[in-house]
Amino acid sequence: DLNAASDFSKTMTWEMTHVHYDSEEEYYYVELEHNLNFCPNVTVKDSTKDVVETGIEYKDLNTIKLTMAQSFSGTAYLS
């Protein structure tokens, strides 16, 4: 079944208005609820489609927190 792969991957996009700032730790972050029920591999691209490095924290099996030095809009590719 070719559609079965969609149960194990997801693309999630966010805008800068969804990015928060942690003034104590001095970083920007966005939390994404993916509902895949596992800790996926994550590739992040900014709005210009360049791959960027972010910190990745698995809050639980369905939520990740991406941390970054600067705020940006982007897309997370989860698999």
Side-chain angles (χ1 to χ4, degrees):
D1 182 357
L2 295 176
N3 293 325
S6 64
D7 293 339
F8 301 104
S9 64
K10 187 171 264 190
T11 301
M12 303 190 75
T13 302
W14 69 91
E15 298 299 323
M16 284 183 55
T17 55
H18 299 116
V19 177
H20 306 282
Y21 183 69
D22 183 321
S23 58
E24 273 187 34
E25 300 294 327
E26 297 183 348
Y27 62 75
Y28 294 91
Y29 69 93
V30 62
E31 289 190 7
L32 304 173
E33 188 173 330
H34 54 75
N35 296 319
L36 292 171
N37 205 33
F38 66 92
C39 296
N41 293 311
V42 181
T43 300
V44 176
K45 292 185 179 183
D46 63 16
S47 57
T48 64
K49 307 289 187 221
D50 289 330
V51 174
V52 294
E53 289 189 34
T54 65
I56 302 168
E57 178 183 344
Y58 296 95
K59 304 291 284 181
D60 56 42
L61 290 178
N62 293 304
T63 309
I64 58 173
K65 179 178 182 178
L66 303 177
T67 57
M68 54 204 84
Q70 297 177 339
S71 178
F72 63 89
S73 298
T75 302
Y77 299 89
L78 313 176
S79 62

